[in-house]
Amino acid sequence: MTHRRPLTARRLLAAAMAAVLAGALASPLSAAALTGVPTDPNDGVPRIDPAVTYEKFEPIADPGRGAADYFQPKWYDTDGRHIQAHGGQVVTTEENGQTVYYWYGEDRTKGYYNSPGVAVYRSTDAMNWTNLGDALRSISQRSDLLQPYFDDLYDTVDDNGAERTAKVDALAYHLNSTEKSDYTAIFERPKVLHNAATGKWVMWWHADGRTEPGGSTYARSMAAVAVSDSPAGPFRMTGAFRMPNRTNYQACTQYAVPGQARDMTVFQDDDGTAYISYSSEENSSLYVAELNADYTNVLKTTDTDTLGVKQYSEDGRYPYLFADGKEGAPVRGEDFQIVKECGYLEAPAIFERDGTYTAIASGATGWAPNPQTYYTTKNLMGSWIRGVQAGDANENTFYSSMPDGSDGLLSIGDRNRSTFGSQSTNVFELEPGKFVYMGDRWNEGKSDSTYVWLPLTVGENGRLEMHNPAAEDPSRYGDGWDASYWDDKGFGHGTWKVVTALPTTVLRGQAPQLPSTVSVDVDGTAAPVAVTWSTLDTSVLGPQTVTGTLAADANFTVGRTFQRTITVTAPGIANIAPEATVTASSRNDLVGTITDGNRTGKGWDDWTGNGYPRNSWLQFDWGTNRTFDSLAVYTYKDGATATWPSRIQVQYRDAAGAWQDTTVAVTLAQDAASAAPVAMLDGKGLPASSALRLRLTSDANTWQSIAEVEIWGNTLAANVCRGADATVSASFSQTKWATLPASNACDGRQNTQWSTWTDAGFKDSATFTLETSEIHRLDQVRFTNIEGTVAGVSAEYRAPSGEWKPVTLTGGSPTVTNGVETTLSFPQVLATGLRLTFATPGSYLKIPEIVVPEGVAAPKATATVTSRCIAGKVTLVTTVRNDETTPATVVVASQWGRKTLTAMAPGSTTSVAQSTRAASIGAGAVTVTTSVDGAQGEQSVPFAARSCS
C-alpha cells in the first residue's frame, strides 16, 4: 500500500488542462472536425450530424426504466457516432508532454452478441473522443484466424501455409463471438494497464461463453488477458483463466463452480503493483488478487489446467486456484483477498485516495440498476469494511435494503435507488484527487446503451458520496458539469470529522440550539470552522437529519457537509407501532419491515399473483387501549411507476371488536415523476383503542408499497423489565417446535411470547422473575395471557436489602381471562426485583408482554401558609414553589376557596391570598395538590390560629 503520490509534471499538466476546460463556453456542444476510423453508416448505431464538441460532461436525468427518454443522453464521438465503449475504463497517460486519455470498452455495434471486440477511443480532454477502432478483435468464424491480421498476432499458419489446428481451435473457443456458434464467446468489462517495466499494454476482460453447444453463455466464467505494444492495439490474447478461490468456494451457494471469474476490473497502485478484482462463486463473493510483474497472470501459478475447462495459456502457466495450504498455493491475505463474502455483488471499480482503497460494486440484478455500495481498506490484501465505519448498523445489510444515508451507500439523492440509473464500471482521476465515476445505463447490451459519468466527493470520516449535479442544482449544472463542480464541494486532502457534540433531541415546536462554529479534526489536528445549518421541521415527531455545511479553511474548499440525527420529542409520546402485532390483508411475511426503522428502504407491498388488490389494509394491535397523537406513513417507489396508495384512511377497533371508519385520512397524488410521498395524519381526535387499521386504496392499477409506518401515541410508563439494568428469567419455557423464553415477554413486541407449553406433562405453576441492579418504585404489573389457563397469580418483591417479601395486592388476586389485560396493583415499594407466580394446574400460559411500570414519585411543591390582618379580618397567604423540573399545575384549596396555578415554571414561586372574612380563625390546614403529566401529589400544609380583634 502506498499513499497518493505528490503532483508530478504530468499531473500538474493535467490539472492545468482541466482548469482550462472548467472555464470553457457555457454550451456543451459546438461544431467539430476531428475524425476517427471509418464505420458503416448503416450499422444501426445512433448518430448526429454535424458532429459536436463537448465542453462539459452531459447532464444526467433518471426518469426511471421504461421512460421514453431513459436512454439519454447519447455520447457522440468526433464523427458524430454514439460511442461504443460499454463496461469500460479510461486510462490516463502522457504523450509528448500532453495528457491523453484512452477509453476502452465493449463494442456493441451489433448488439450484445456478435461483438466485434473491444473498442478504444482517444481524447485529450476526457470529453471529446476519437474512435481508434477495435483494439482487441473477435472472430465470426474459425477461418478468420487464418487471415494475415490474426496470423501476425498468433502465428496460426506455419511457414508452409498450413494452419496450426490445435492453436486455431483453442483461440476460436475464446474469440468467436457469433451468437449461433457452438461456443459463443462473450467479451465484457475490458480493462487495461500500462506496464512501465515491460513497456506493454495489458488488457483483461470477463471472458465468458458456452462450454457446450446450446448451453449457457455464462458457463465459462473466465478472465482473459491480452498484450500490445500500443494503447490502440492490436492486442494479442495470451491467456484465459479461472481465478484463485478459497477452498470452501461453495460456502455461499452450492451452485458455485471452482475459480469462477465474472465481472472484473484491474487496479494499478502507485508502486507499480497491479491487481485484478472479480466476482466469483456465482457472484456471491467479490475477490481481489495480485498480478505478477508482467500483469499477465496471478502470482501463484501451475503448469497444469487442473480443471480441464479449456483454459488458454500462451506460456503454459495457469493460476493455482485453491488456497489449499499446499506448497505453491495462493494464500488468502497475501496473494488474494475477499472484499465481501456472500454479498452478491458485481461490476467492481477500484481506486485509491490518500492511502485508502475503495471498491465500488453493484448488486447482481442483471440489466436493472440498483443502489450500489462500496467497501474500503488500508491494505488491499487486508480486511475490507463496507463504507468507512466498521461494525455499523448496516455493515451486513443487503445492498437493496440499505437506508438512504447509511454508511457504504454510494449515491446521495438517488430518488429511484438505482445509482442514478447506472451500473459501475470504472473510476478515473480527472485532476489530482478529483475522481469521476463511470457507469453504464444498459439497454440489454444494445449499441444505444448510454453512459453515466458523475463526480465523486469525499465526506466526513472519508465517506464516499456521489451526487448528480443536474438534479442537485439544475440552475448551475442543467447544461452539464466539469471540474469546477468540486470548487465548492469541500475539496481537499485528508480525513476530517466534526468532533463537537450536538444536541440529540429537541421538544416539538422548539428550535434546536445549534452552534455557529464547530471543531473539525483533520488527521488528528482539530480547529474551529464556521458552519451553517439546514432547517429542521420540529412539528414532526421522530428522528430527523440536520445537515451542517462547513466554511473553507486551510485544507479544504467551502462546502464540506456532515449530518447529525436530532429526534423531535413530546413528553409522554413515542412511536408505538413497533410494540404492536402487525398483520396485513396480504403478504404477512413482509409486515415486519414497516416497523424496522428504515424509512426509505423497500418494505411491504400488497402484490399478489392474481393482480393488484387496489384495496388493502395494515393492522396494528396492541392488546390494550392506547391513545394517539399522529401517524406517519412513508411510502416507497418500487420502480418507475407510482407504487403507493392514492388514499390512506384510519380505522379503529371499538370495544365490541368492530372496525369503525374515521375522518382521519389523506389523499396522495400518484405521480410517477415524483418521489414517493410521506403521508402525515393527525391522530389526536381518534378515540382510545387497542388496534388501528390503515385502509390503503389505489386509483391506479398498481401494487401499493410502504417503507415504514410510525404511530405516535401515549407511552406506557417505563417498563422496568426492558431497562438496561434488568434481567428476566422463568422457571421454564417452551422449547419444542419453538423456543419461547421469558425474554420474549419483555421485548416490547406482541408477536413474540413467553410460553410454558410442553408435550411432556404440564406443570402446575410457573414463575417469572425480574431482577435489577438499580432500585425502582413498583406498584403495578400488567399482562395479557392468550393461551392456556392461568388460575391465579401472586407476586413478591426483592427489597434493597436483598430480602424477598410478598406484596399485598389491592383488591386481592384478580381473575385472569385470556385475551383481556390483567392488572396487579399493590402499595408502592422500593425494589430491586419482582417475582410473579402463575398457577397453571394441568395447563400452560402464553404471554406476549409483561409490563412492570416504573412507579411515579408524587410531584411536590414547597408550600408555607402564613396569616395577616387586613381591615380587621384574617387573610391566609399560601406561598408555593414548583420543585419539579417541568411545568406543574398547582391547586391551593381551603374552606375559604380554591385557586389553580396553571403551568407554573420549574423553580418559580407564587403566593395565593384567601380572605376568611372573619376576625379570628382556629388552627387548620390548606391542601396543596401538584400535578405533572397526569401524576399527582397532595399535601396538607398547616396554619396556626389567628385573631385580628
Side-chain angles (χ1 to χ4, degrees):
M1 185 273 291
T2 59
H3 291 279
R4 176 59 57 197
R5 57 179 176 265
L7 296 181
T8 62
R10 180 185 73 77
R11 290 188 163 216
L12 287 170
L13 179 60
M17 188 171 199
V20 172
L21 292 174
L25 297 176
S27 172
L29 305 177
S30 64
L34 297 176
T35 59
V37 299
T39 56
D40 179 2
N42 299 312
D43 58 17
V45 178
R47 283 174 161 79
I48 190 172
D49 187 20
V52 297
T53 296
Y54 296 91
E55 293 165 345
K56 293 183 180 181
F57 294 109
E58 292 251 76
I60 301 298
D62 181 16
R65 296 180 76 217
D69 58 346
Y70 181 63
F71 294 107
Q72 295 290 339
K74 300 294 185 291
W75 195 343
Y76 301 101
D77 63 20
T78 53
D79 287 323
R81 181 176 183 264
H82 181 50
I83 293 171
Q84 295 301 298
H86 310 283
Q89 177 195 33
V90 166
V91 178
T92 306
T93 188
E94 187 177 288
E95 296 176 0
N96 300 319
Q98 183 180 35
T99 298
V100 175
Y101 304 91
Y102 287 95
W103 184 1
Y104 300 88
E106 304 164 16
D107 186 343
R108 296 298 174 198
T109 296
K110 298 179 181 180
Y112 181 64
Y113 294 103
N114 310 307
S115 170
V118 176
V120 58
Y121 293 77
R122 183 181 184 274
S123 174
T124 56
D125 60 10
M127 297 181 190
N128 298 279
W129 297 91
T130 300
N131 184 8
L132 302 184
D134 290 322
L136 174 73
R137 292 189 189 179
S138 68
I139 63 171
S140 57
Q141 54 190 353
R142 183 182 181 280
S143 60
D144 290 346
L145 288 166
L146 306 180
Q147 296 173 358
Y149 176 90
F150 292 102
D151 181 31
D152 288 344
L153 281 175
Y154 298 106
D155 190 22
T156 54
V157 179
D158 66 20
D159 293 340
N160 297 319
E163 70 171 57
R164 303 183 189 275
T165 303
K167 176 176 283 190
V168 171
D169 287 342
L171 290 167
Y173 183 76
H174 293 283
L175 294 177
N176 188 347
S177 67
T178 305
E179 180 179 4
K180 296 182 179 179
S181 170
D182 286 346
Y183 302 102
T184 301
I186 305 295
F187 293 80
E188 292 187 341
R189 304 198 167 268
K191 304 292 186 287
V192 175
L193 300 164
H194 180 247
N195 191 315
T198 65
K200 300 290 186 182
W201 293 78
V202 183
M203 177 187 295
W204 284 86
W205 71 97
H206 169 205
D208 229 316
R210 297 190 180 99
T211 57
E212 60 183 6
S216 167
T217 53
Y218 277 94
R220 199 172 299 173
S221 303
M222 295 184 186
V225 60
V227 298
S228 174
D229 295 324
S230 164
F235 281 80
R236 182 185 80 255
M237 185 177 70
T238 62
F241 309 122
R242 291 282 178 89
M243 290 280 109
N245 264 181
R246 53 180 172 171
T247 53
N248 59 333
Y249 62 91
Q250 291 183 320
C252 302
T253 171
Q254 61 179 323
Y255 303 107
V257 298
Q260 187 181 68
R262 287 189 172 170
D263 281 7
M264 46 71 59
T265 193
V266 294
F267 170 74
Q268 186 176 35
D269 211 343
D270 288 339
D271 64 359
T273 306
Y275 303 83
I276 183 170
S277 177
Y278 48 95
S279 187
S280 189
E281 304 174 7
E282 290 296 319
N283 289 339
S284 63
S285 295
L286 184 63
Y287 281 71
V288 61
E290 186 174 340
L291 296 175
N292 64 13
D294 293 337
Y295 302 170
T296 57
N297 211 324
V298 294
L299 288 178
K300 300 295 178 63
T301 61
T302 176
D303 59 5
T304 305
D305 181 356
T306 56
L307 296 178
V309 292
K310 296 185 179 180
Q311 297 182 84
Y312 178 82
S313 177
E314 187 177 76
D315 64 4
R317 302 301 298 180
Y318 303 88
Y320 192 129
L321 290 186
F322 295 117
D324 55 18
K326 297 179 181 179
E327 184 178 358
V331 177
R332 181 172 179 175
E334 295 180 8
D335 305 302
F336 76 92
Q337 186 54 275
I338 302 178
V339 176
K340 176 61 178 176
E341 296 179 7
C342 306
Y344 294 92
L345 301 171
E346 61 183 15
I350 297 180
F351 69 102
E352 179 255 343
R353 174 192 176 271
D354 291 345
T356 294
Y357 300 92
T358 299
I360 294 173
S362 163
T365 54
W367 299 116
N370 50 66
Q372 292 180 194
T373 186
Y374 69 94
Y375 292 79
T376 63
T377 185
K378 294 291 186 179
N379 178 1
L380 285 164
M381 294 295 103
S383 60
W384 293 71
I385 62 171
R386 173 181 272 165
V388 297
Q389 182 179 341
D392 68 285
N394 294 296
E395 183 68 36
N396 294 302
T397 302
F398 200 59
Y399 62 84
S400 61
S401 299
M402 294 178 68
D404 283 353
S406 58
D407 182 45
L409 191 65
L410 176 65
S411 300
I412 305 297
D414 182 20
R415 188 181 67 186
N416 291 335
R417 291 182 62 82
S418 63
T419 316
F420 303 113
S422 74
Q423 185 180 45
S424 53
T425 184
N426 185 49
V427 172
F428 79 96
E429 203 168 9
L430 182 65
E431 290 183 15
K434 298 180 179 180
F435 295 92
V436 176
Y437 163 94
M438 295 173 57
D440 292 280
R441 183 170 290 177
W442 292 110
N443 187 15
E444 299 184 354
K446 297 177 183 178
S447 65
D448 65 346
S449 298
T450 53
Y451 307 98
V452 173
W453 284 26
L454 293 171
L456 297 173
T457 57
V458 180
E460 189 175 20
N461 296 312
R463 169 182 171 145
L464 185 64
E465 298 179 352
M466 184 166 77
H467 299 252
N468 180 359
E472 181 183 52
D473 192 347
S475 63
R476 294 179 63 186
Y477 303 112
D479 64 347
W481 65 275
D482 54 27
S484 66
Y485 176 82
W486 284 276
D487 290 350
D488 58 358
K489 300 301 183 300
F491 178 76
H493 290 282
T495 301
W496 61 273
K497 61 182 177 181
V498 175
V499 294
T500 299
L502 300 178
T504 57
T505 61
V506 61
L507 287 174
R508 180 162 55 185
Q510 294 188 5
Q513 300 301 308
L514 299 174
S516 59
T517 300
V518 291
S519 180
V520 181
D521 179 286
V522 180
D523 295 334
T525 301
V529 181
V531 61
T532 56
W533 300 100
S534 63
T535 58
L536 193 70
D537 184 1
T538 61
S539 67
V540 179
L541 292 172
Q544 294 190 41
T545 298
V546 62
T547 300
T549 301
L550 297 175
D553 62 14
N555 300 303
F556 296 87
T557 65
V558 64
R560 284 175 293 170
T561 62
F562 63 98
Q563 295 182 325
R564 295 293 186 267
T565 298
I566 297 179
T567 300
V568 181
T569 64
I573 303 297
N575 177 17
I576 61 176
E579 300 176 12
T581 299
V582 187
T583 53
S585 53
S586 62
R587 310 203 75 184
N588 275 285
D589 58 316
L590 298 178
V591 294
T593 63
I594 63 172
T595 58
D596 62 2
N598 185 350
R599 291 172 165 180
T600 58
K602 185 174 182 178
W604 170 89
D605 65 64
D606 63 356
W607 180 90
T608 70
N610 299 319
Y612 309 133
R614 300 178 66 171
N615 190 338
S616 300
W617 51 261
L618 291 168
Q619 180 174 315
F620 300 82
D621 194 330
W622 293 273
T624 184
N625 276 359
R626 308 301 289 266
T627 58
F628 309 101
D629 178 271
S630 56
L631 298 88
V633 181
Y634 293 82
T635 67
Y636 181 76
K637 188 173 186 180
D638 192 5
T641 56
T643 55
W644 55 82
S646 59
R647 180 174 170 79
I648 302 174
Q649 181 188 26
V650 178
Q651 296 179 312
Y652 72 94
R653 187 172 62 196
D654 65 18
W659 290 102
Q660 302 294 335
D661 289 335
T662 74
T663 57
V664 179
V666 64
T667 299
L668 304 174
Q670 290 179 302
D671 179 5
S674 301
V678 178
M680 305 299 301
L681 300 104
D682 188 345
K684 297 183 184 66
L686 293 170
S689 177
S690 63
L692 294 182
R693 263 189 183 178
L694 302 182
R695 295 302 305 265
L696 313 173
T697 54
S698 173
D699 290 338
N701 188 29
T702 182
W703 63 97
Q704 303 179 85
S705 298
I706 304 295
E708 186 80 0
V709 176
E710 295 173 352
I711 301 176
W712 297 88
N714 67 297
T715 57
L716 300 175
N719 191 353
V720 176
C721 76
R722 291 174 60 187
D725 69 323
T727 58
V728 296
S729 59
S731 53
F732 63 102
S733 62
Q734 178 179 337
T735 57
K736 189 169 184 178
W737 309 119
T739 300
L740 304 177
S743 58
N744 285 0
C746 285
D747 62 1
R749 295 183 177 272
Q750 290 289 320
N751 59 353
T752 61
Q753 303 89 24
W754 166 46
S755 172
T756 60
W757 179 90
T758 175
D759 64 353
F762 293 121
K763 299 182 180 181
D764 291 338
S765 67
T767 60
F768 173 91
T769 303
L770 160 68
E771 298 177 284
T772 65
S773 58
E774 302 293 333
I775 298 174
H776 295 271
R777 298 174 182 269
L778 305 181
D779 55 18
Q780 190 181 93
V781 180
R782 298 193 303 270
F783 65 88
T784 301
N785 190 58
I786 59 176
E787 289 184 16
T789 300
V790 177
V793 59
S794 60
E796 54 188 326
Y797 75 99
R798 187 173 68 185
S801 64
E803 180 184 2
W804 284 94
K805 299 180 179 181
V807 301
T808 302
L809 297 177
T810 304
S813 180
T815 299
V816 179
T817 302
N818 284 1
V820 177
E821 185 175 68
T822 299
T823 300
L824 281 71
S825 298
F826 46 89
Q828 191 175 95
V829 295
L830 296 179
T832 60
L834 185 73
R835 180 176 295 139
L836 305 177
T837 300
F838 297 90
T840 57
S843 187
Y844 65 100
L845 59 74
K846 194 172 189 179
I847 299 176
E849 197 73 5
I850 294 176
V851 178
V852 183
E854 180 75 60
V856 178
K860 187 177 180 181
T862 298
T864 58
V865 182
T866 59
S867 60
R868 65 183 65 174
C869 294
I870 300 177
K873 307 295 181 182
V874 178
T875 295
L876 293 178
V877 179
T878 303
T879 302
V880 180
R881 187 185 71 215
N882 178 11
D883 292 335
E884 300 298 315
T885 59
T886 58
T889 298
V890 178
V891 177
V892 177
S894 70
Q895 68 186 84
W896 297 284
R898 177 186 179 95
K899 175 69 173 179
T900 299
L901 306 173
T902 303
M904 280 190 69
S908 64
T909 300
T910 302
S911 294
V912 175
Q914 294 177 312
S915 175
T916 67
R917 297 184 177 85
S920 61
I921 60 172
V926 172
T927 300
V928 177
T929 304
T930 307
S931 301
V932 175
D933 290 336
Q936 191 175 86
E938 185 177 284
Q939 55 186 312
S940 180
V941 185
F943 57 83
R946 180 70 184 263
S947 175
C948 295
S949 299

